[in-house]
Amino acid sequence: MFQEMVRQVHQNAVPFRYVLADSWYTNSDNINLVLGLKHHYLGAVKSNLEVALSKHDRGTGKFVKISSLQLQPGTVLTVYLRSVQAPVAICGDILPNQDGSVGELLLLTTDVTMTYQQFLTTYQKRWGIEPGRQAEYHKSLKQNASLEKLPTRTHRTQKLFRILFHGFFWTLAESLPSR
C-alpha cells in the first residue's frame, strides 16, 4: 500500500522533495522506489540495520550493525546498503523520554548532502501539520492519494488508515501554498 500511494502522489504531480517515514517503512524496496521517482527518502531505522562503511566493503560483503557505530549527535555518516546502489547518509540523536530515560533516534536519508540539523528539522516535519491547515491537508490527502479507492469502509478502518499514513503524507501539506 505504501508504494501504491507513493506512485499515486507522484502520478498526480504533487510537488515534494522528501518522503518521510518511520522505521516500519524503511526498507530497500521503498527507498529504491522513491529514488526511481527522482525524490529523496528520509526515515527512521532500527538499530539492527546493517550497513557497509565503503563501496568496497559492500562489494566484499562486509556489513556492520548500525548500533555498533555508536553515532554521536551532530555526526552524519555516508554508508552503503545491500540493495540500494546509491550511498545513503545516517545520523543518530539522543532524545529524553518523559520518564527521565533517554532514547536513540537513528535516521537514514538518500540525500547525502544533508547536514545533521537538516536531518532533524526535516524529519520533525513528519508530524508537523500546522493547526488551522488540517482541512487543507486532509482534502489534499484525499484528492492526491485517491483515498476513495481504498477498501476502508468503516469508521474504524478509516481511522486506522489515517493514523498509519499521517506521518508519510506530511509532504502533501508541505506542498500546499503558504498563506
Side-chain angles (χ1 to χ4, degrees):
M1 186 178 286
F2 177 93
Q3 292 192 3
E4 290 172 28
M5 296 181 93
V6 171
R7 284 188 190 98
Q8 187 66 54
V9 170
H10 179 77
Q11 180 182 337
N12 289 351
V14 175
F16 63 97
R17 184 167 181 194
Y18 297 97
V19 173
L20 303 182
D22 63 23
S23 61
W24 180 264
Y25 299 103
T26 302
N27 60 57
S28 58
D29 289 339
N30 290 340
I31 293 169
N32 284 324
L33 170 71
V34 171
L35 284 172
L37 296 173
K38 308 292 186 226
H39 297 289
H40 283 293
Y41 188 93
L42 172 58
V45 294
K46 295 181 180 175
S47 61
N48 65 348
L49 174 72
E50 292 188 337
V51 299
L53 301 179
S54 69
K55 219 178 207 182
H56 179 263
D57 285 353
R58 179 176 61 191
T60 60
K62 184 179 177 185
F63 291 87
V64 297
K65 288 187 192 266
I66 195 172
S67 59
S68 72
L69 300 176
Q70 298 180 346
L71 293 169
Q72 296 299 312
T75 303
V76 175
L77 186 63
T78 300
V79 297
Y80 297 84
L81 303 177
R82 290 183 200 278
S83 301
V84 176
Q85 288 302 307
V88 298
I90 58 173
C91 77
D93 194 21
I94 305 298
L95 304 171
N97 293 321
Q98 290 180 348
D99 65 1
S101 65
V102 293
E104 184 177 37
L105 174 65
L106 299 169
L107 298 174
L108 171 148
T109 185
T110 57
D111 183 355
V112 295
T113 66
M114 272 192 148
T115 66
Y116 175 75
Q117 194 55 53
Q118 289 170 325
F119 251 105
L120 298 181
T121 302
T122 305
Y123 188 71
Q124 287 172 352
K125 291 180 180 179
R126 187 170 130 256
W127 297 110
I129 306 303
E130 296 175 34
R133 291 188 66 194
Q134 287 94 351
E136 291 176 83
Y137 166 76
H138 290 289
K139 180 180 176 187
S140 179
L141 176 60
K142 185 177 178 183
Q143 290 172 344
N144 293 302
S146 299
L147 293 185
E148 68 280 354
K149 294 179 184 175
L150 293 175
T152 55
R153 300 289 178 247
T154 68
H155 176 71
R156 184 171 187 241
T157 57
Q158 290 170 355
K159 183 177 180 181
L160 177 62
F161 172 81
R162 285 193 306 270
I163 291 168
L164 289 174
F165 289 97
H166 177 77
F168 168 72
F169 278 105
W170 76 274
T171 56
L172 296 176
E174 289 295 308
S175 69
L176 294 172
S178 296
R179 298 197 188 241

